[in-house]
Amino acid sequence: MKINNFLSCAVLLSLFVQNTNAARVLVVSDIDDTIKNSHVLNQVDAVKNAYLTGAEMSVSGMSKLYQSIKRENSEIEFHYVSNAPADLGLDVSHGLFLDNNNFPVNGVHTKQYIFRGDHKLRAIRTLIDIKSPDVVIMIGDNGEQDASVQNQIVNEYANNGAGIRFVQFIREAYSQTDGGSRLKPGQTGFITPGEIAVQLADEKLLKTETAMSLVKNDLSKPNLNLAYWVDCRDHRLLPEPKNEKLAEYLVDLNREIKITCGIK
């Protein structure tokens, strides 16, 4: 009997350890307007799009990017932190959206209490504390407070000496005229997944060939396949990367972004 109890405890402990293993790379991604074309700053569109989960809602190329990041990094986890309220069933619809569009998923963290304003900060802190990552890649958008949340997280962990390397991305889907927030220091703005790929390759978190392939994928689509409502006139183009091969591809991508977004 004691042996059985001991084995049961050992099995439970083993399962606990498996489920709480540290992730060397932790990807923390928003959903609405980051990987899903929700148009949250437009009340009519936001309501209409809230429960849509098909491929037409996916930001072009983002699933392919996330799958590429997963394939090339061992001990990586993808967690989606969203302010969408679970009590309206958006935890289910977000889960379906991720599944339908082949996004890698280790966890979906929606807001449990609709009026809790610090949900994202609390959720990201908890993930970092539990997973103890070496690298945290945070991907959000400028439609809500993602830039401020990312900035606060980086400052908090820089001050406590955790030694975590943070890489921050903000999709500049809205102009400042339309209510889009400004980027904080250290954040990289993006319109296309190819821009994230170039930056990650420059950071040695993605292969150069993979980044070039993702940039080609962006350039193959008319008008970069942006949603009709995206206003990216304030987007700051990526500077030239250290990698010469990537620099050549980025010239073409930046040219197309300038034309499509009307950047002067």
Side-chain angles (χ1 to χ4, degrees), residues 22-244:
R24 190 185 74 80
V25 180
L26 175 64
V27 177
V28 179
S29 176
D30 178 48
I31 295 177
D32 293 310
D33 289 346
T34 298
I35 61 173
K36 179 182 177 183
N37 283 312
S38 302
H39 201 188
V40 296
L41 294 189
N42 180 291
Q43 290 185 350
V44 174
D45 279 0
V47 172
K48 181 180 70 175
N49 295 330
Y51 299 97
L52 299 181
T53 62
E56 75 282 357
M57 298 305 300
S58 185
V59 173
S60 181
M62 290 300 284
S63 175
K64 189 172 184 178
L65 169 69
Y66 283 24
Q67 290 288 357
S68 297
I69 298 171
K70 177 184 178 182
R71 189 164 53 247
E72 295 186 11
N73 289 275
S74 60
E75 299 176 70
I76 187 169
E77 290 194 9
F78 286 78
H79 289 263
Y80 299 84
V81 178
S82 170
N83 272 331
D87 52 0
L88 296 181
L90 289 172
D91 54 342
V92 176
S93 72
H94 274 355
L96 287 171
F97 167 78
L98 294 167
D99 186 53
N100 290 344
N101 292 282
N102 300 312
F103 282 94
V105 181
N106 293 96
V108 181
H109 312 268
T110 51
K111 187 187 288 188
Q112 298 302 309
Y113 305 101
I114 195 168
F115 296 111
R116 169 157 273 168
D118 62 348
H119 162 67
K120 285 192 174 183
L121 281 171
R122 291 164 64 95
I124 296 171
R125 285 187 196 120
T126 299
L127 283 167
I128 292 173
D129 292 344
I130 290 174
K131 299 298 177 183
S132 301
D134 297 324
V135 179
V136 177
I137 301 171
M138 295 188 287
I139 306 174
D141 66 87
N142 71 341
E144 296 184 283
Q145 302 301 318
D146 290 345
S148 296
V149 168
Q150 290 186 11
N151 187 61
Q152 184 168 335
I153 289 291
V154 170
N155 288 337
E156 285 180 9
Y157 284 88
N159 292 334
N160 74 6
I164 300 169
R165 177 180 164 203
F166 287 94
V167 188
Q168 307 171 71
F169 296 100
I170 296 291
R171 184 177 183 233
E172 295 181 283
Y174 299 96
S175 68
Q176 291 167 25
T177 303
D178 289 339
S181 59
R182 292 177 181 271
L183 273 63
K184 305 294 184 183
Q187 294 175 344
T188 298
F190 75 95
I191 297 299
T192 69
E195 293 166 280
I196 295 179
V198 167
Q199 186 66 27
L200 289 179
D202 224 28
E203 299 266 356
K204 309 298 183 188
L205 292 168
L206 203 63
K207 292 178 182 175
T208 298
E209 294 75 18
T210 303
M212 292 191 297
S213 175
L214 289 163
V215 170
K216 282 183 183 178
N217 188 55
D218 288 342
L219 290 170
S220 70
K221 298 164 183 172
N223 299 318
L224 302 173
N225 207 19
L226 298 181
Y228 77 91
W229 51 266
V230 170
D231 185 350
C232 46
R233 72 183 93 166
D234 297 328
H235 176 51
R236 295 186 294 185
L237 298 173
L238 274 185
E240 183 175 320
K242 304 170 197 144
N243 186 308
E244 291 183 5

Side-chain angles (χ1 to χ4, degrees), residues 6-21:
F6 174 78
L7 290 173
S8 297
C9 290
V11 170
L12 288 172
L13 179 61
S14 173
L15 288 172
F16 176 78
V17 170
Q18 289 174 21
N19 288 328
T20 57
N21 273 348

